[in-house]
Amino acid sequence: MLSNIIDTHAHYNDRAFDSDRNDVLASLRGAGIVCVINCGTDLASSVQSRELAEQFDFVYFAAGIHPEDCGNAQEEDLAKIQTLLRHEKCVAVGEIGLDHYWPEPPHDVQNLFFERQLALANDCKMPVIIHDREAHGDTMALMRRYRPAGVLHCFSGSVETMFEAVSLGLYIGLGGAVTFKNAKKAVDVAKAVPADRLLLETDCPYMAPTPFRGKRNSSALIPYTAEFIAGLRGVDAQTLIDQTTENAKRLFF
Ligand code: NI
């Protein structure tokens, strides 16, 4: 059985886990998971992420306001996020970023919250967990400007963009989406990304890997993603996992 797995991006606060959250989390250690980073998407879910981290010793958290949630966020939420960042189990500002797939919230509002949180992360010397959906150009421009430590989660850019991100010191997060039938770009990235820059993640409850696509995801399904990526790279899955766990520790701990 595969072990020593870190899930660098999960949302166990999501209502999809309301009926069995504690059972799912309690079962993860037995599935080879040594650590989960639960990511906030607004103030409330960042507080819930802190609560999960206080409840489970292997759960850590990130606090931040997601681009899709910044339309409802208040200026003062950022001060409260800043307070959460001081918690001993908070390891990153996230998830934050840009989402140009949807027209709302307006791009200027997304930019405002993203830039404020990039500055906050740099002030606190913490890494960022970045959501970039169909906004690669604008995201990379801000990466060049702020030069944060961090990860581009569920990376969906080109191999060229990946190499630029790596040259800026960033990590590349890959999850179940890389196993999807139409994932040609992500497959190319998974083959090319330097071994010391790859992180594994779920984004659960979303993005369950094949053959569970469309079902509720959990960290226990990371072995499917790891086996798939390891196959692309011609290494064994445990070797890939051990390397990505070392990478996650270097970035977050
Ligand atoms: Ni996410």
Side-chain angles (χ1 to χ4, degrees):
M1 191 192 89
L2 297 169
S3 60
N4 192 32
I5 299 163
I6 296 186
D7 183 350
T8 59
H9 193 115
H11 299 284
Y12 285 106
N13 56 285
D14 192 281
R15 65 163 67 93
F17 294 105
D18 276 356
S19 63
D20 58 354
R21 178 173 298 107
N22 286 357
D23 292 342
V24 172
L25 280 161
S27 72
L28 293 181
R29 296 302 282 272
I33 312 300
V34 293
C35 175
V36 169
I37 299 174
N38 203 80
C39 298
T41 54
D42 58 8
L43 180 59
S45 59
S46 295
V47 170
Q48 289 166 341
S49 299
R50 183 199 68 198
E51 289 166 358
L52 290 173
E54 287 172 344
Q55 195 183 345
F56 292 92
D57 60 353
F58 67 98
V59 175
Y60 291 77
F61 77 103
I65 298 169
H66 188 287
E68 284 177 63
D69 291 284
C70 67
N72 298 318
Q74 311 296 324
E75 178 79 19
E76 57 262 35
D77 291 352
L78 291 170
K80 292 173 184 161
I81 294 286
Q82 189 167 12
T83 304
L84 287 171
L85 297 179
R86 294 191 207 111
H87 191 280
E88 59 178 1
K89 295 192 81 179
C90 189
V91 296
V93 181
E95 63 181 287
I96 62 175
L98 300 175
D99 195 315
H100 290 180
Y101 181 76
W102 305 105
E104 296 291 329
H107 293 179
D108 58 332
V109 177
Q110 294 190 29
N111 273 309
L112 175 84
F113 275 88
F114 190 25
E115 289 202 52
R116 290 284 302 274
Q117 293 179 97
L118 285 168
L120 193 57
N122 282 350
D123 285 349
C124 301
K125 298 188 166 45
M126 290 180 83
V128 290
I129 296 174
I130 291 176
H131 172 103
D132 161 17
R133 190 176 187 195
E134 304 198 0
H136 306 316
D138 290 359
T139 298
M140 291 307 294
L142 289 170
M143 296 299 97
R144 280 177 222 117
R145 192 155 130 217
Y146 285 87
R147 297 299 299 266
V151 55
L152 298 174
H153 118 82
C154 195
F155 186 79
S156 57
S158 65
V159 169
E160 291 70 26
T161 303
M162 178 275 289
F163 276 121
E164 191 195 353
V166 163
S167 77
L168 290 171
L170 293 162
Y171 289 74
I172 303 297
L174 293 177
V178 74
T179 69
F180 296 171
K181 258 204 170 71
N182 53 355
K184 179 168 180 336
K185 245 164 55 168
V187 162
D188 290 343
V189 166
K191 287 178 184 165
V193 60
D196 63 352
R197 294 308 182 87
L198 174 63
L199 300 180
L200 293 174
E201 61 172 52
T202 57
D203 208 16
C204 67
Y206 310 107
M207 298 289 174
T210 303
F212 303 98
R213 187 173 183 179
K215 303 240 167 62
R216 187 180 76 171
N217 198 4
S218 91
S219 312
L221 298 182
I222 282 191
Y224 291 88
T225 304
E227 293 276 11
F228 183 85
I229 295 174
L232 295 173
R233 296 172 69 89
V235 297
D236 74 270
Q238 188 61 57
T239 303
L240 181 94
I241 287 167
D242 290 342
Q243 172 81 63
T244 57
T245 289
E246 202 181 303
N247 300 343
K249 288 180 177 167
R250 192 186 312 118
L251 177 60
F252 293 115
F253 298 105

